[in-house]
Amino acid sequence: GGSSAIAFATNEPDAAALTLAADLMQPSPLVRATDDLGKVAELFLSSGLRQLHVVDGNGSIAGTIDEADVTRAYLTLLARPKT
């Protein structure tokens, strides 16, 4: 993954000189503003990332969401009275 590549590049002086930022970057999964909580949680688990970009209907970045946001939303759902 990207973090192991970064560790290698920073610990190996010869590799650091040849490493470009583009070599370490990987596309991040995107969350749509309409995605449900379960899908967002799955993206966090599968990507190993702690923060994801949220895109609007036009594909433009509308903001970010992090693990704490998902946890907060999940706990709020659990606290709702059952109807």
Side-chain angles (χ1 to χ4, degrees):
S3 60
S4 60
I6 293 170
F8 174 78
T10 57
N11 292 325
E12 296 293 329
D14 294 334
L18 301 174
T19 304
L20 301 175
D23 295 329
L24 303 176
M25 295 175 63
Q26 297 180 24
S28 173
L30 299 175
V31 174
R32 298 191 191 294
T34 56
D35 286 345
D36 64 31
L37 183 60
K39 180 170 183 175
V40 177
E42 287 176 10
L43 280 172
F44 275 114
L45 290 172
S46 65
S47 71
L49 299 173
R50 299 188 66 156
Q51 185 175 29
L52 298 170
H53 293 289
V54 179
V55 294
D56 62 18
N58 297 321
S60 299
I61 294 178
T64 59
I65 189 168
D66 62 27
E67 292 174 322
D69 295 325
V70 173
T71 302
R72 215 174 288 109
Y74 179 71
L75 292 174
T76 299
L77 285 174
L78 288 178
R80 280 189 185 172
K82 307 274 190 271
T83 57

